[in-house]
Amino acid sequence: QAQYKLFQAYALGTNFPKDKEKSLVWLKKAAEQDYSPALIDLGGFYERGEGGVAVNLSQAITLYKKAFYQTPVESLGALN
């Protein structure tokens, strides 16, 4: 969760200067820890090609599914 909070802080410019590159680094680290909100957000980055990430629908679906199997209720919106 701490890594995800750092992602949010850099993404929003809260307590740190806004920095898209650093926010993505922390988001990926949180996703590597299988933190469901990070998996969902990173899936969205891949789905929409945000944050300097190339569109990769296969990767987005993989991340959404991984999040779904951990916390089905939180992930349902991402799979629609």
Side-chain angles (χ1 to χ4, degrees):
Q1 281 185 344
Q3 293 166 331
Y4 187 73
K5 289 184 186 279
L6 282 169
F7 150 68
Q8 291 176 316
Y10 279 113
L12 301 172
T14 308
N15 298 322
F16 296 102
K18 210 173 199 180
D19 188 321
K20 289 182 182 183
E21 289 178 15
K22 285 184 181 178
S23 70
L24 184 59
V25 167
W26 286 109
L27 179 59
K28 286 182 176 180
K29 287 179 186 264
E32 288 170 5
Q33 300 299 313
D34 292 334
Y35 185 58
S36 291
L39 292 166
I40 294 166
D41 284 349
L42 187 56
F45 275 53
Y46 280 106
E47 181 181 356
R48 295 181 296 277
E50 294 178 347
V53 174
V55 172
N56 185 332
L57 296 180
S58 176
Q59 182 66 16
I61 290 168
T62 298
L63 291 165
Y64 290 149
K65 284 181 179 178
K66 197 171 191 180
F68 175 78
Y69 288 116
Q70 290 181 21
T71 52
V73 175
E74 274 185 42
S75 308
L76 286 176
L79 293 174
N80 287 332

